[in-house]
């Protein structure tokens, strides 16, 4: 019921394609296990990822290249001056592992709100960047640094430090996906063994 109200509200604000994408993502998030229904290790890693995403975005601060990197590109990427790497498809960014880590880390359906602007690539992309809090963004979005951004960070003098943080995010995310796979294997075999013996 709440999901359909959210969808109707989205239809008032957004185009149909974005409303559909938001609804699909919220359903997938709601279907993923909440913090109390994942393994202890998954829950700890999901919280660590949440913290790391915020730390990395604070370290990145106000970068300049992301404001003009999409200028002159074909649609949807070129709809806004900035955020070229946000011009992809929402479902490609929010993989099952990403959605699982967000849910286990505390992201809820109502945190997933799109910007009040034209739909141009990812559902959360707007003219002023991403409408999601750092904690609610996919890990890939936070750790990806394009060549132009890397050049800016190098000139600023903190590329190496940010690379280390992004590496840690990747390692932690990999450990999360492994812990998730182990728990899911245990669930499948628990059912098989419980039902057959
Ligand atoms: S979730 Fe945010 S950061 Fe990631 S692609 Fe979409 S708009 Fe960009």
């Amino acid at each position: 019921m709440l999901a359909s109200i959210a969808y109707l509200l989205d239809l008032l604000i957004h185009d149909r394609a974005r409303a559909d994408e938001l609804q699909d993502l919220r359903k997938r998030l709601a279907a993923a296990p909440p913090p109390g229904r994942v393994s202890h290790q998954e829950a700890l890693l999901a919280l660590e990822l949440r913290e790391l995403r915020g730390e990395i975005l604070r370290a990145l601060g106000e970068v300049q290249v992301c404001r003009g990197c999409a200028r002159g590109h074909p649609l949807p990427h070129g709809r806004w001056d900035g955020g070229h790497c946000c011009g992809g498809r929402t479902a490609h960014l929010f993989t099952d592992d990403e959605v699982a880590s967000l849910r286990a880390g505390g992201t809820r359906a109502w945190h997933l709100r799109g910007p009040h602007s034209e739909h141009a690539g990812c559902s959360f992309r707007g003219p002023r960047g991403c409408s999601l809090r750092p904690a609610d963004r996919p890990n890939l979005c936070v750790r990806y640094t394009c060549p132009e951004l890397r050049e800016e960070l190098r000139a600023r003098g903190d590329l190496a430090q940010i690379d280390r943080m992004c590496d840690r995010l990747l390692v932690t995310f990999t450990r999360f996906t492994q812990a998730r796979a182990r728990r899911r294997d245990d669930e499948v075999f628990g059912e098989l063994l419980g039902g057959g013996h």
Side-chain angles (χ1 to χ4, degrees):
M1 183 63 174
L2 279 177
S4 54
I5 291 173
Y7 181 60
L8 291 175
L9 289 173
D10 279 339
L11 283 173
L12 293 175
I13 302 167
H14 306 298
D15 67 13
R16 177 72 182 262
R18 179 184 263 156
D20 286 350
E21 285 183 11
L22 291 172
Q23 174 174 247
D24 176 65
L25 182 56
R26 290 191 190 116
K27 279 184 181 169
R28 290 174 57 217
L29 188 85
R37 284 191 32 230
V38 295
S39 67
H40 184 61
Q41 190 187 16
E42 273 173 277
L44 289 180
L45 289 167
L47 283 179
E48 190 177 336
L49 287 167
R50 196 174 179 82
E51 288 288 315
L52 276 171
R53 289 192 293 273
E55 280 175 29
I56 291 172
L57 284 167
R58 280 193 294 279
L60 283 170
E62 291 288 317
V63 286
Q64 297 306 309
V65 289
C66 303
R67 295 169 184 256
C69 58
R71 207 171 289 142
H73 283 267
L75 297 178
H77 297 80
R79 169 62 62 209
W80 314 119
D81 283 351
H84 183 264
C85 65
C86 299
R89 297 184 58 183
T90 312
H92 291 172
L93 296 151
F94 289 80
T95 62
D96 288 346
D97 279 328
E98 291 281 11
V99 170
S101 87
L102 292 174
R103 182 74 172 106
T107 295
R108 305 300 298 272
W110 56 83
H111 296 135
L112 303 177
R113 284 196 289 265
H116 292 206
S117 67
E118 212 170 319
H119 185 195
C122 172
S123 277
F124 302 101
R125 181 189 182 206
R128 286 190 293 279
C130 181
S131 61
L132 295 175
R133 301 180 303 179
D136 300 321
R137 295 181 197 178
N139 296 283
L140 175 61
C141 298
V142 175
R143 71 180 167 75
Y144 175 67
T145 50
C146 71
E148 292 78 13
L149 176 56
R150 298 182 63 75
E151 201 44 56
E152 181 174 337
L153 298 176
R154 187 176 289 111
R156 223 169 68 174
D158 52 6
L159 176 63
Q161 182 216 344
I162 288 174
D163 272 349
R164 278 194 296 276
M165 296 171 88
C166 291
D167 287 350
R168 191 172 151 213
L169 188 69
L170 176 59
V171 168
T172 308
F173 183 63
T174 304
R175 289 177 62 209
F176 173 84
T177 63
Q178 290 167 339
R180 177 174 182 248
R182 278 195 298 276
R183 189 231 337 135
R184 286 158 62 86
D185 286 350
D186 286 346
E187 287 171 359
V188 169
F189 281 96
E191 274 177 32
L192 288 174
L193 296 173
H197 296 275

